[in-house]
């Protein structure tokens, strides 16, 4: 039987195809907001930050969420944007740096919707808006989006996707998870609309599918589109888009038809089953239902002590044996690593070389000094 290092190299080091894009291995960097881009412009430090992870063996970098060109898209002037000549020039430099280090990179395109606090930058006068103006928490209600608002946001996503390809990126990811705008349409709690963009699952999925379709039309046919999705929301960890595989299929099918090439399935613990009676996690179910490649994510590589400090979790996620078992069984196709890669840019290279015992563990104190 192969030792853990050989096994990790064999399973994780396999190439994979997303659309017309070939990736060198099965490891992705998960998107993580840092707010290190004053004025919304990624600088040379941002390019170096991503290039270090690519040089450290990561096959696919998914950038932190980056705001599309819509006034209500964001809630910070330190989060990067994906519009404007200055920001796009910065992003082109990021793509060049990642490519020079041997990696591939997608920007994650983002609209926060009702998560925006009124009066915050980058456009202080822009109202928070969503499908029904209903936030996830107890903040005041915002604007219910009009048909014109819907069209403008769809166009902004498509424009950003085209800009990504023009800037040399290898694909795009649409942020449809965690209770932000696209997810607010998908979730019945925040989508109370009575028009064709609300109601049953088919109606609630229409906005997301139209965004995917518009992005697909804005880029070349083989340019990959990833869709990040989750059941849970920020501050609503037990939320569900779908209570059963049948309901999940109803959400996924329109997105797959519209042109999604891969689904990035966000869970808080990748090893937990999504539905009773089956061990498949969310990424496993999504692959089973759509036939599309899936990326799993959720506490990969985090030490037992850190997980316990969060939720009293007794599982040691530093070990990747269970992850390798699932990848070997083709439950899902790739794994996205977040905080473990923040702590150690060489996490991928060390893991692939069987030096997982040399990985620098993540500690919360690292968050303010990530490079």
């Amino acid at each position: 039987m192969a030792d853990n290092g050989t096994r990790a190299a064999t399973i994780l080091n396999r190439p994979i195809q997303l659309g017309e894009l070939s990736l060198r291995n099965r490891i992705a960097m998960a998107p993580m907001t840092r707010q290190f881009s004053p004025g919304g412009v990624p600088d040379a430090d941002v390019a170096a930050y991503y290039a270090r992870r690519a040089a450290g063996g990561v096959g696919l970098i998914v950038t932190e969420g980056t705001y599309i060109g819509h006034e209500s898209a964001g809630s910070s002037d330190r989060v990067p944007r994906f519009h404007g000549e200055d920001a796009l020039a910065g992003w082109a430099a990021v793509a060049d740096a990642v490519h020079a280090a041997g990696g591939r990179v997608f920007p994650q395109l983002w609209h926060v919707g009702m998560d925006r606090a009124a009066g915050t930058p980058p456009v202080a006068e822009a109202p928070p808006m969503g499908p029904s103006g209903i936030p996830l928490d107890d903040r005041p209600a915002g604007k219910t989006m009009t048909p014109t608002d819907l069209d403008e946001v769809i166009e902004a996503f498509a424009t950003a996707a085209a800009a990504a390809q023009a800037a040399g990126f290898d694909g795009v990811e649409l942020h449809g998870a965690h209770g932000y705008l696209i997810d607010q349409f998908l979730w019945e709690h925040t989508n109370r609309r009575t028009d064709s963009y609300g109601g049953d699952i088919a109606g609630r999925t229409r906005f997301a599918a139209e965004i995917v379709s518009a992005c697909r039309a804005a880029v070349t046919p083989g340019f990959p589109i990833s869709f990040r999705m989750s059941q849970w929301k920020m501050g609503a960890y037990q939320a569900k888009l779908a209570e059963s595989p049948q309901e999940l299929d109803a959400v996924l099918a329109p997105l797959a038809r519209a042109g999604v090439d891969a689904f990035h399935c966000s869970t808080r613990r990748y090893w937990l089953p999504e539905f009773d009676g089956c061990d498949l996690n969310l990424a496993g179910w999504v692959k089973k239902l759509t036939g599309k490649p899936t990326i799993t994510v959720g506490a990969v590589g985090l030490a037992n002590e850190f997980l316990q400090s969060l939720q009293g979790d007794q599982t040691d996620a530093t070990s990747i044996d269970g992850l390798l078992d699932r990848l070997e069984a083709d439950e899902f196709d790739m794994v996205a690593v977040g905080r473990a890669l923040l702590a150690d840019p060489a996490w991928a290279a060390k893991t692939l070389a069987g030096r997982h015992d040399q990985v620098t563990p993540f500690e919360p104190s690292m968050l303010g000094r990530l490079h």
Side-chain angles (χ1 to χ4, degrees):
M1 183 176 178
D3 61 46
N4 281 350
T6 302
R7 185 168 181 248
T10 300
I11 295 170
L12 289 170
N13 218 22
R14 296 173 295 165
I16 186 172
Q17 198 84 7
L18 301 182
E20 293 182 355
L21 176 66
S22 296
L23 299 175
R24 60 183 173 179
N25 62 41
R26 303 300 179 102
I27 301 173
M29 180 177 180
M32 290 168 285
T33 298
R34 299 195 307 146
Q35 301 198 56
F36 282 9
S37 297
V41 179
D43 60 13
D45 288 340
V46 174
Y49 163 78
Y50 287 116
R52 273 190 286 275
R53 275 73 190 175
V58 174
L60 174 64
I61 304 286
V62 183
T63 75
E64 62 210 280
T66 177
Y67 298 147
I68 61 170
H70 185 264
E71 289 187 343
S72 295
S75 56
S76 169
D77 59 2
R78 294 185 60 83
V79 169
R81 49 185 161 85
F82 213 84
H83 61 93
E85 290 185 9
D86 52 354
L88 293 176
W91 281 119
V94 170
D96 288 344
V98 170
H99 292 156
R104 296 292 180 263
V105 58
F106 292 7
Q108 187 186 72
L109 307 180
W110 190 21
H111 192 302
V112 303
M114 285 301 302
D115 192 64
R116 171 177 165 73
T120 56
V123 184
E125 63 272 20
M129 60 173 60
S132 304
I134 298 172
L136 273 69
D137 57 20
D138 294 327
R139 284 180 296 176
K143 178 184 178 183
T144 296
M145 294 175 70
T146 66
T148 298
D149 294 326
L150 299 178
D151 291 343
E152 289 175 351
V153 169
I154 292 168
E155 182 179 359
F157 271 104
T159 298
Q165 187 164 29
F169 281 82
D170 303 289
V172 294
E173 178 163 285
L174 306 177
H175 197 339
H178 305 164
Y180 297 115
L181 181 65
I182 294 175
D183 196 24
Q184 289 162 22
F185 273 83
L186 296 174
W187 192 29
E188 62 181 351
H189 176 75
T190 44
N191 186 344
R192 314 283 181 86
R193 299 177 75 96
T194 57
D195 63 4
S196 60
Y197 290 92
D200 60 10
I201 291 176
R204 298 198 306 273
T205 307
R206 180 181 172 185
F207 181 62
E210 289 187 357
I211 290 173
V212 174
S213 181
C215 290
R216 172 52 61 211
V219 298
T220 57
F223 189 72
I225 295 174
S226 171
F227 188 92
R228 197 173 207 214
M229 63 170 297
S230 69
Q231 296 262 44
W232 65 276
K233 323 297 171 197
M234 297 300 294
Y237 297 123
Q238 304 307 313
K240 295 278 189 181
L241 294 180
E243 298 286 351
S244 68
Q246 293 74 23
E247 289 186 355
L248 183 60
D249 188 40
V251 173
L252 297 169
L255 302 176
R257 288 194 299 267
V260 170
D261 294 289
F263 288 92
H264 189 173
C265 305
S266 178
T267 56
R268 301 184 72 227
R269 306 286 185 269
Y270 78 85
W271 55 86
L272 297 179
E274 191 57 41
F275 300 113
D276 292 340
C278 179
D279 289 338
L280 292 178
N281 72 1
L282 181 60
W285 272 110
V286 172
K287 180 177 180 179
K288 178 182 176 69
L289 292 168
T290 66
K292 301 285 186 179
T294 59
I295 305 170
T296 197
V297 65
V300 176
L302 296 184
N304 186 39
E305 292 79 7
F306 177 69
L307 292 174
Q308 286 184 42
S309 72
L310 291 180
Q311 296 290 338
D313 198 316
Q314 298 299 308
T315 302
D316 185 358
T318 304
S319 170
I320 61 168
D321 290 344
L323 177 70
L324 296 177
D325 290 342
R326 289 167 179 256
L327 278 164
E328 192 171 37
D330 290 324
E331 178 178 340
F332 39 75
D333 300 280
M334 296 186 69
V335 55
V337 181
R339 285 166 290 196
L341 264 174
L342 293 182
D344 192 338
W347 185 94
K350 291 176 181 178
T351 299
L352 292 172
R355 296 185 289 118
H356 201 68
D357 59 334
Q358 298 176 24
V359 166
T360 301
F362 175 83
E363 297 177 5
S365 61
M366 295 175 173
L367 286 172
R369 47 186 175 86
L370 301 172
H371 300 290

